[in-house]
Amino acid sequence: AAKALEFTIFTASRTSETLRMPWSEIDLVEKVWTVPAPRMKAGRDHRVPLSGRAVEILEEVATLRTTGEPNEYVFPGQKPGRPLSSMSMLMLLRRMGLEGRVTVHGFRSTLRDWAGDTTDFSWEIASASLSHAVGDATERAYRRSDALAKRRAMMEAWAAYCEPKPDNVVTLKLAPKSPVA
């Protein structure tokens, strides 16, 4: 649940989009997650640029894969073939003592406020990152690009904002466990 929540924050996705995500939607080479239209609230495909940290999370949870099938859930639940429960992230926030002060969906609003209040990213780029329609029908008819490169820059900046590392802090990694003889 912790990795699912972290991934949801770094991608500014909805809970259901994250939990129901199969590996087939992920392109680790291009660092893009493509959520198909039927799974999107807006009913259209949505490409999500994956920040470096989002890719790291996917690489970490890849070790949980049991079948290797493309339709296997990235965040599997307790029951085989089922995704993590929709309550899992909420319960995590509760265990952290944050229930009532923080919601999973609220991180999407936080990204929008952060982008609008503290960055030079346009409101169109921030809105597109949330898969919100931008402009009226005429404007959308003429603007067919999803501005992936600009949204990628914004998502990397968002990741840096969410997970700042002071210059004097070194990330330590555990050494692999030795095989038991």
Side-chain angles (χ1 to χ4, degrees):
K3 294 294 181 194
L5 176 60
E6 187 179 9
F7 184 84
T8 301
I9 293 167
F10 280 106
T11 58
S13 59
R14 294 177 180 89
T15 299
S16 62
E17 294 163 4
T18 297
L19 297 181
R20 299 197 175 281
M21 172 179 50
W23 283 102
S24 60
E25 294 177 2
I26 302 296
D27 183 340
L28 287 173
V29 174
E30 296 296 322
K31 298 180 180 178
V32 173
W33 167 27
T34 304
V35 187
R39 291 201 330 100
M40 290 300 300
K41 183 178 178 181
R44 64 182 183 280
D45 286 359
H46 179 58
R47 293 191 309 163
V48 180
L50 299 173
S51 66
R53 180 60 190 141
V55 169
E56 287 174 9
I57 294 166
L58 292 172
E59 290 169 345
E60 291 167 12
V61 299
T63 61
L64 303 175
R65 292 187 80 171
T66 57
T67 68
E69 294 292 323
N71 288 327
E72 183 176 0
Y73 290 111
V74 173
F75 299 103
Q78 295 288 331
K79 295 180 183 177
R82 303 279 309 207
L84 201 57
S85 163
S86 60
M87 291 295 294
S88 59
M89 291 189 269
L90 178 61
M91 295 307 294
L92 175 64
L93 292 175
R94 180 179 290 169
R95 287 189 303 273
M96 294 171 69
L98 297 173
E99 184 183 31
R101 297 184 314 169
V102 175
T103 65
V104 178
H105 195 78
F107 287 105
R108 289 171 52 83
S109 178
T110 300
L111 174 134
R112 187 65 190 85
D113 289 342
W114 163 82
D117 294 345
T118 66
T119 77
D120 291 328
F121 294 106
S122 69
W123 72 269
E124 293 94 346
I125 296 303
S127 294
S129 294
L130 298 170
S131 188
H132 291 165
V134 177
D136 61 18
T138 303
E139 187 173 344
R140 288 192 304 271
Y142 282 93
R143 174 95 172 130
R144 292 184 281 268
S145 168
D146 65 359
L148 186 66
K150 288 183 177 184
R151 290 189 301 116
R152 182 176 304 284
M154 189 184 87
M155 297 312 284
E156 287 293 351
W158 170 244
Y161 174 77
C162 289
E163 192 173 53
K165 292 184 175 66
D167 292 338
N168 63 344
V169 174
V170 177
T171 302
L172 301 175
K173 297 194 180 212
L174 294 174
K177 291 183 179 180
S178 309
V180 178

